[in-house]
């Protein structure tokens, strides 16, 4: 029970409305303790806590908890309170949260923000969140090339407070607002104060375009060992900085999204602290499609009822054939999803992928077909029954991996989310074919079984 | 066809053995073009390319391509060549690759490395790769507190070449080899050259323990806006630095591993460029367990064959019940896996999770049960058949989400990988129960159907 304490203590403290104590207690907690405590004190206490704390402290809590939880809370806070908290976050976190909000909620909050910050955020949320513009931060150090090292150092000293919040690794240099290059802290250290930046700026540094897609950012930071890269617009002006850590974060989010979607959780993250009806509605939206597809597939069995009642033993193996074909197919889907996100295959390579996949399908089809066929033979002492179910599963396995391997590429090419759609389509087709094969084979051998 | 070119061109260039041209061509390619080209030129060309290039250039290629591919290549390179390439990588990448290698391959390569580098790597590969020690790098700047700012600046200027490779953001300060604090580049800038580090060092900076688990690192960087954090051993000596980007990378790898495992790809990444037999063997290891579980589940149907042959229409719905229960259960599994990795639930909270999950199960069970029951009724014009299949799926859905929601927590508690084991266990249990319910209900209503 030791490990229950934190949130119970937090609940009590919130009741007391004693800000100082609450803050002191939170400061003492590890991030993971804050995360689990927040998800245990309930929605109302969460809101009370956030309004109780000073905005900058509330912002820290918001950055700790899962994004979906933070969004949920922002929607129920008064716009003014929400704006005050968001104002304390870095620009990329601001944009992330506001894009997740209901449009009118977001607008209400932005209107409560300082004009210039609001303006900045409005720009950011226009970007697709999986592009350089969507991932970049807009807090960075920029100086015109005419400045001297001395002037820069003086500015750094003066504004050091404000710059604390920045992830200062590079200083960016512009000339008439056009980006011309970078300057590393180290270079500043090693130059005379009188040196103009134009002399020590590292020219034609690599820049990213506003609309560069996530895949490009990922491979960019794979090749280049930078902490961040400058983002420029068409006119060559510096609009932001993409940090490596934020790209990694976006990458992890993408992988998690795919994990959820392949398992049938659609519409983004689901936490069990969300309202029951919302959760069940979102899950049903996917399940109800699946049940229709399932009934469609099962209709094949209905057509062959005579055969089935003649060979009732077959009914035992139909679910096995359906399930195993799904398993084999989903393995191929998973590999294709990975190869796509690793960039080792491109959507147009359907044929090449099929060739590489079908060989595995043939081997596994043989093995699985033999296993189930042997089981059927042993059980009923009828080798023909074994041939029927074994043959059906064997052939169906080859088809399943063929579809599973190539379908994600095809879906990607036509811009349908492969993680979401591959599974249901795959299992429907393989179920229908599996039932069809088993029952026609049985029909042909009716006299021997 | 445009997008086929890069690897065909690369293949030709490799044939010519013209290093200069190959390098020039690679330098012109984007990271993603290198990745896809490598996976298209075939294993032998890959090896020829790596031996052709200078070690430092080969290292760049190795860092671009997926880790599993790099490991595969290292195993087939001559140990000396492999060692030369690895020597050009950062310590964390070295450790990552060497830990993935067959033990004797790794040993052979390490023996070819410089004694001090070999020594360093030997230390690193002893750490679990999902701990601070496994993620940290060992290239960092450290000075004794007795040094002056001037001495440090001089050292930076002198060794600037070597430090290029480091991700210098902080300078670490020790006293008699014990870590005492950090120094930011910025602080150096703003102090007199005569100042001893002891005066400007930020004392009691937060440190990480060597064996801190990945979850702790993730939440550490969620709370703290640092680029990296120092890692100390029991005796307080500085042994390495964990960089935020490397933690994010480990996080993404973990998510991808779970994605693959839930889909039945075990034993790590699979790329279709791997040998066919290895791939089919690894997939079969999981499939063969599943087929046994499936046959076990199907045996329930075998027991009730009389009932089934009396109500042959039921055979149509058994696969639907089995598949839909699996779908509902897997949704719950996915949510639990996410909540575990987000740290919003702990393995001991089985009861709490069940309460939150069962409510969704009841709603969805009602809806799905009604849908399929209604379909059965319409099709056979027999309301009792509808009650049988609808009741069976409804009840089974509640059980499926109950198991799906809680099983991952239980498996985690007993240290079984939940992403891997949850699915098969879940579907077996729900299949058996689903078949049992449908067939017993049918048995009870035999006179009405």
């Amino acid at each position: 029970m030791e490990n229950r304490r934190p949130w119970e203590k937090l609940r009590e403290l919130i009741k007391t409305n004693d800000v100082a104590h609450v803050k002191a207690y939170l400061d003492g907690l590890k991030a993971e303790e804050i995360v689990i405590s927040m998800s245990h004190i309930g929605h109302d206490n969460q809101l009370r806590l956030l309004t109780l704390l000073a905005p900058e402290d509330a912002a820290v809590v918001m950055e700790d908890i899962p994004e979906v939880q933070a969004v949920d809370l922002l929607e129920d806070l008064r716009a003014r309170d929400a704006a005050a908290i968001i104002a304390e976050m870095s620009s990329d976190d601001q944009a992330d949260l506001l894009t997740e909000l209901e449009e009118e909620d977001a607008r209400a909050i932005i209107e409560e923000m300082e004009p210039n910050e609001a303006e900045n955020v409005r720009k950011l949320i226009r970007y697709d969140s999986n592009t350089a513009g969507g991932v970049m931060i807009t807090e960075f150090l920029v100086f015109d090339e005419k400045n001297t090292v001395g002037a820069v150092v003086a500015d750094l000293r003066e504004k050091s407070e404000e710059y604390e919040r920045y992830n200062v690794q590079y200083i960016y240099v512009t000339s008439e607002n056009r980006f011309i290059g970078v300057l590393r802290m180290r270079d500043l250290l090693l130059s005379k104060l009188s040196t103009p930046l134009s002399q020590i700026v590292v020219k034609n540094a690599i820049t990213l375009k506003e609309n560069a897609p996530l895949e490009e950012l990922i491979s960019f930071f794979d090749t280049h060992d930078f902490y961040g890269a400058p983002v420029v617009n068409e006119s060559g002006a510096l609009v932001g900085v993409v940090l490596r850590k934020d790209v990694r974060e976006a990458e992890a989010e993408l992988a998690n999204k795919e994990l959820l979607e392949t398992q049938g959780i659609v519409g983004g993250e689901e936490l069990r602290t969300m309202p029951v009806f919302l959760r069940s509605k979102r899950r049903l939206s996917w399940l109800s499609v699946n049940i229709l597809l399932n009934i469609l597939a099962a209709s094949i069995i209905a057509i062959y009822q005579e055969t089935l009642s003649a060979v009732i033993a077959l009914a035992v193996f139909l679910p096995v054939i359906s399930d195993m074909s799904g398993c084999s197919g989903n393995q191929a889907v998973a590999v294709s999803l990975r190869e796509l996100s690793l960039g080792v295959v491109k959507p147009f390579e359907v044929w090449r992928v099929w060739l590489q996949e079908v060989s595995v399908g043939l081997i596994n089809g043989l093995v699985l077909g033999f296993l189930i066929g042997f089981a059927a033979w042993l059980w009923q002492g009828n080798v023909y029954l074994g041939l029927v179910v074994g043959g059906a599963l064997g052939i169906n396995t080859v088809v399943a991996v063929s579809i599973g391997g190539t379908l994600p590429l095809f879906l990607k090419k036509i811009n349908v989310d492969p993680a979401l759609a591959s599974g249901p389509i795959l299992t429907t087709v393989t179920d229908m074919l599996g039932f069809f094969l088993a029952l026609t084979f049985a029909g042909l051998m009716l006299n021997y079984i």
Side-chain angles (χ1 to χ4, degrees), chain A:
Chain A
M1 289 304 102
E2 175 55 34
N3 31 20
R4 304 199 89 97
R5 286 228 187 86
W7 49 91
E8 287 168 358
K9 176 95 173 115
L10 187 58
R11 246 196 241 100
E12 292 162 22
L13 281 171
I14 293 171
K15 278 208 207 71
T16 67
N17 278 317
D18 178 342
V19 194
H21 272 79
V22 173
K23 170 149 176 32
Y25 183 68
L26 285 176
D27 291 344
L29 292 180
K30 291 210 201 103
E32 63 256 45
E33 292 172 320
I34 293 181
V35 170
I36 189 150
S37 302
M38 279 299 277
S39 57
H40 281 63
I41 59 177
H43 193 66
D44 297 347
N45 277 318
Q46 291 171 344
L47 290 171
R48 206 168 300 132
L49 176 65
L50 291 173
T51 39
L52 195 62
L53 289 170
E56 61 267 31
D57 301 321
V60 174
V61 173
M62 289 292 244
E63 284 165 348
D64 288 346
I65 62 180
E67 184 174 302
V68 47
Q69 220 174 53
V71 169
D72 185 33
L73 289 166
L74 283 176
E75 284 178 337
D76 297 350
L77 281 170
R78 265 195 274 90
R80 173 173 288 101
D81 299 337
I85 295 173
I86 286 183
E88 297 295 329
M89 301 181 174
S90 65
S91 55
D92 58 331
D93 294 337
Q94 294 179 340
D96 285 352
L97 291 175
L98 289 168
T99 40
E100 292 295 323
L101 284 170
E102 300 292 330
E103 190 145 355
E104 61 273 18
D105 292 329
R107 204 180 300 105
I109 292 174
I110 294 174
E111 273 160 14
E112 293 287 343
M113 296 172 74
E114 286 179 4
N116 54 344
E117 276 214 322
E119 177 51 32
N120 183 24
V121 169
R122 280 202 194 83
K123 273 204 216 98
L124 284 178
I125 59 181
R126 277 198 219 97
Y127 294 106
D128 171 343
S129 59
N130 279 333
T131 64
V135 175
M136 71 188 184
I137 57 169
T138 51
E139 299 89 356
F140 51 85
L141 294 182
V142 58
F143 295 92
D144 187 274
E145 62 173 343
K146 296 195 190 61
N147 289 287
T148 64
V149 169
V152 172
V153 172
D155 179 86
L156 287 182
R157 185 180 285 111
E158 185 186 326
K159 304 222 187 86
S160 58
E161 279 284 312
E162 171 190 344
Y163 296 159
E164 277 304 327
R165 289 180 50 217
Y166 295 19
N167 290 313
V168 183
Q169 173 77 346
Y170 309 99
I171 289 176
Y172 299 97
V173 182
T174 54
S175 164
E176 283 109 32
N177 296 322
R178 298 190 75 273
F179 172 81
I180 60 165
V182 303
L183 200 69
R184 279 163 316 175
M185 279 293 177
R186 225 180 303 139
D187 303 326
L188 268 189
L189 262 174
L190 312 178
S191 325
K192 291 208 204 58
L193 294 180
S194 58
T195 326
L197 301 188
S198 51
Q199 273 180 35
I200 52 172
V201 59
V202 183
K203 285 255 170 98
N204 43 47
I206 313 170
T207 60
L208 293 165
K209 299 243 171 317
E210 291 177 294
N211 52 7
L214 183 59
E215 299 76 28
E216 187 180 328
L217 304 182
I218 291 172
S219 49
F220 176 88
F221 283 103
D222 282 343
T223 17
H224 303 96
D225 202 17
F226 305 147
Y227 270 109
V231 181
V232 297
N233 61 18
E234 310 73 39
S235 54
L238 183 62
V239 292
V241 175
V242 169
L243 297 176
R244 176 187 288 266
K245 69 165 175 83
D246 293 327
V247 173
R248 291 290 177 209
E249 205 165 337
E251 189 182 1
E253 271 166 22
L254 198 67
N256 286 320
K257 180 166 158 293
E258 287 192 339
L259 169 56
L260 291 170
E261 287 181 342
T262 52
Q263 300 292 89
I265 297 296
V266 299
E269 201 86 60
E270 170 183 327
L271 296 182
R272 294 207 173 85
T273 43
M274 293 177 174
V276 169
F277 283 100
L278 171 67
R279 290 165 55 209
S280 103
K281 201 182 86 210
R282 283 171 55 188
R283 290 198 198 177
L284 273 175
S285 67
W286 186 79
L287 291 171
S288 45
V289 174
N290 265 272
I291 198 167
L292 294 180
L293 293 174
N294 263 282
I295 291 173
L296 172 68
S299 62
I300 298 286
I301 306 178
I303 298 169
Y304 287 86
Q305 267 186 95
E306 261 96 70
T307 320
L308 191 56
S309 46
V311 196
I312 191 67
L314 206 56
V316 175
F317 293 96
L318 292 181
V320 182
I321 292 171
S322 142
D323 192 53
M324 288 312 296
S325 309
C327 287
S328 298
N330 278 320
Q331 287 181 320
V333 168
V335 174
S336 286
L337 287 176
R338 271 302 280 163
E339 290 196 331
L340 281 171
S341 66
L342 285 169
V344 295
V345 295
K346 297 287 172 218
F348 64 83
E349 304 189 88
V350 174
W351 176 248
R352 173 167 165 269
V353 166
W354 180 75
L355 283 177
Q356 293 171 322
E357 189 62 40
V358 72
S359 45
V360 175
L362 287 165
I363 300 171
N364 294 5
L366 267 173
V367 176
L368 297 176
F370 173 79
L371 282 176
I372 196 173
F374 192 68
W377 180 20
L378 281 185
W379 174 50
Q380 292 284 302
N382 182 322
V383 69
Y384 295 101
L385 180 70
L387 287 175
V388 166
V389 293
L393 179 58
I395 296 170
N396 212 35
T397 303
V398 178
V399 176
V401 297
S402 302
I403 297 174
T406 54
L407 185 58
L409 280 68
F410 172 74
L411 291 173
K412 179 105 180 184
K413 201 156 61 178
I414 62 173
N415 290 316
V416 176
D417 181 347
L420 191 56
S422 298
I425 300 176
L426 168 79
T427 46
T428 309
V429 178
T430 52
D431 279 5
M432 296 181 92
L433 182 65
F435 299 149
F436 170 79
L437 291 173
L439 289 159
T440 13
F441 290 173
L444 297 171
M445 300 197 174
L446 220 41
N447 313 335
Y448 308 94
I449 304 181

